[in-house]
């Protein structure tokens, strides 16, 4: 977070982490004008950056160099590196005191914050992990991979629960805010599942490929970013 406001961090194919602070100014006509100003640059990775996750005072970034780098956003210093997986770090997410990383080598690593030790390695998708989502309770996880599978994980026991054959390679997976639903995107199609039945309850098709899914805090809306960087809001249940 930038002082007194919001900070946006992006990763680039040129190995850079770039920070931008968002500022707001009131104009004479009463409208608000927002602007982005560069706040920091980091060039520690040796390959293109594929994923970023923010938690507490840290930013974690994963790259084609097979390394996760930690950046302390308070002191603006590098905190260290995490190296356990033998492939591109394809996805990062966090929950409470744990950081989860997926890799092209097919594994999911569960890192304990503070000690930063890898407490568990899950052998998830032999052809590579593409996405991860953690249930709000912290007891379940979903993963997608190039093997066209959606896998459910029991994080209490640290083992695989069951597998759903998607019959296609998925691009994104995300639990809803309350954890009653989860969504999976395959190319330009979005399927919304009920957690209680593990069945699709709603399907939406778009003209462009879906890259990311975010459930809003209102819990009954979701936001999808598609390849032309346009946002679409859809209400899927009442």
């Amino acid at each position: 977070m930038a002082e007194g406001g919001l900070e946006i961090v992006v990763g680039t194919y040129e190995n850079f982490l770039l920070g931008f602070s968002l500022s707001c100014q009131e104009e004479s006509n009463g409208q608000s004008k927002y602007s982005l100003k560069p706040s920091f640059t980091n060039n520690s990775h040796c390959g293109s950056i594929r994923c970023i996750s923010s938690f507490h005072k840290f930013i974690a970034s994963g790259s084609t160099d097979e390394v996760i780098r930690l950046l302390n956003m308070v002191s603006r210093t590098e905190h260290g590196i995490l190296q356990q997986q033998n492939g591109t770090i394809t996805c990062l997410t966090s929950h409470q005191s744990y950081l989860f990383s997926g890799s092209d080598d097919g594994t999911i690593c569960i890192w304990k914050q503070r000690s930063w030790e890898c407490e568990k390695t899950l052998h998830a998708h032999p052809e590579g992990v593409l996405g991860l989502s953690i249930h709000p309770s912290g007891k379940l996880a979903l993963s997608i991979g190039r093997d066209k599978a959606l896998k459910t994980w029991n994080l209490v026991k640290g083992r695989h629960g069951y597998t759903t054959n998607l019959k296609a390679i998925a691009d994104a997976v995300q639990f809803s805010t309350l954890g009653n639903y989860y969504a999976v995107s395959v190319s330009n199609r979005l399927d919304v599942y009920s957690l209680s039945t593990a069945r699709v309850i709603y399907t939406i098709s778009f003209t462009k490929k879906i890259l990311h899914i975010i459930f809003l805090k209102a819990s009954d809306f979701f936001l999808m970013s598609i390849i032309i960087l346009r946002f679409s809001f859809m209400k899927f249940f009442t």
Side-chain angles (χ1 to χ4, degrees):
M1 293 290 292
E3 184 178 354
L6 179 70
E7 192 163 17
I8 299 171
V9 180
V10 299
T12 74
Y13 282 107
E14 291 76 24
N15 317 345
F16 283 94
L17 272 179
L18 303 175
F20 298 90
S21 59
L22 179 65
S23 59
C24 176
Q25 292 182 341
E26 294 291 336
E27 296 187 326
S28 56
N29 58 9
Q31 295 183 345
S32 298
K33 181 180 180 181
Y34 294 91
S35 61
L36 290 173
K37 296 182 179 179
S39 56
F40 77 90
T41 301
N42 181 280
N43 189 27
S44 298
H45 281 288
C46 299
S48 63
I49 296 171
R50 296 301 177 88
C51 50
I52 300 173
S53 180
S54 62
F55 51 98
H56 305 309
K57 62 181 179 180
F58 297 106
I59 289 286
S61 56
S63 167
T64 57
D65 60 10
E66 306 179 3
V67 168
I68 302 168
R69 290 190 175 271
L70 302 173
L71 181 66
N72 187 318
M73 294 296 289
V74 176
S75 63
R76 303 298 166 128
T77 58
E78 292 188 36
H79 187 74
I81 64 172
L82 307 177
Q83 193 167 15
Q84 178 77 18
Q85 294 158 300
N86 298 312
T88 295
I89 308 300
T90 55
C91 49
L92 290 166
T93 189
S94 62
H95 186 272
Q96 296 180 352
S97 59
Y98 290 93
L99 175 69
F100 299 78
S101 63
S103 170
D104 264 344
D105 68 1
T107 64
I108 297 171
C109 284
I110 304 175
W111 307 86
K112 177 69 173 178
Q113 296 178 26
R114 293 187 179 179
S115 68
W116 297 113
E117 294 181 355
C118 180
E119 293 201 344
K120 184 76 174 180
T121 299
L122 305 174
H123 297 276
H125 302 271
E127 298 179 31
V129 180
L130 294 178
L132 281 169
S133 183
I134 311 301
H135 191 268
S137 68
K139 296 179 180 180
L140 295 173
L142 294 172
S143 66
I144 53 174
R146 292 191 178 89
D147 55 0
K148 303 179 182 180
L150 168 68
K151 292 191 175 183
T152 303
W153 300 89
N154 184 328
L155 296 181
V156 176
K157 298 181 178 180
R159 65 188 187 190
H160 173 240
Y162 56 91
T163 300
T164 301
N165 182 5
L166 298 175
K167 300 180 181 180
I169 298 176
D171 299 294
V173 61
Q174 184 63 47
F175 272 113
S176 66
T177 306
L178 299 179
N180 297 323
Y181 304 90
Y182 57 91
V184 179
S185 69
V186 178
S187 186
N188 64 332
R189 188 186 81 241
L190 184 88
D191 293 326
V192 180
Y193 292 76
S194 168
L195 180 62
S196 60
T197 63
R199 293 183 178 180
V200 177
I201 61 170
Y202 206 90
T203 296
I204 304 170
S205 295
F206 294 85
T207 58
K208 300 294 183 179
K209 181 178 179 179
I210 301 166
L211 294 181
H212 196 66
I213 308 163
I214 300 174
F215 280 83
L216 303 184
K217 290 185 178 181
S219 80
D220 60 347
F221 286 86
F222 56 84
L223 171 69
M224 291 150 293
S225 59
I226 56 180
I227 57 174
I228 57 174
L229 300 181
R230 183 173 60 193
F231 297 103
S232 300
F233 288 88
M234 301 289 292
K235 186 173 183 180
F236 66 85
F237 65 91
T238 58

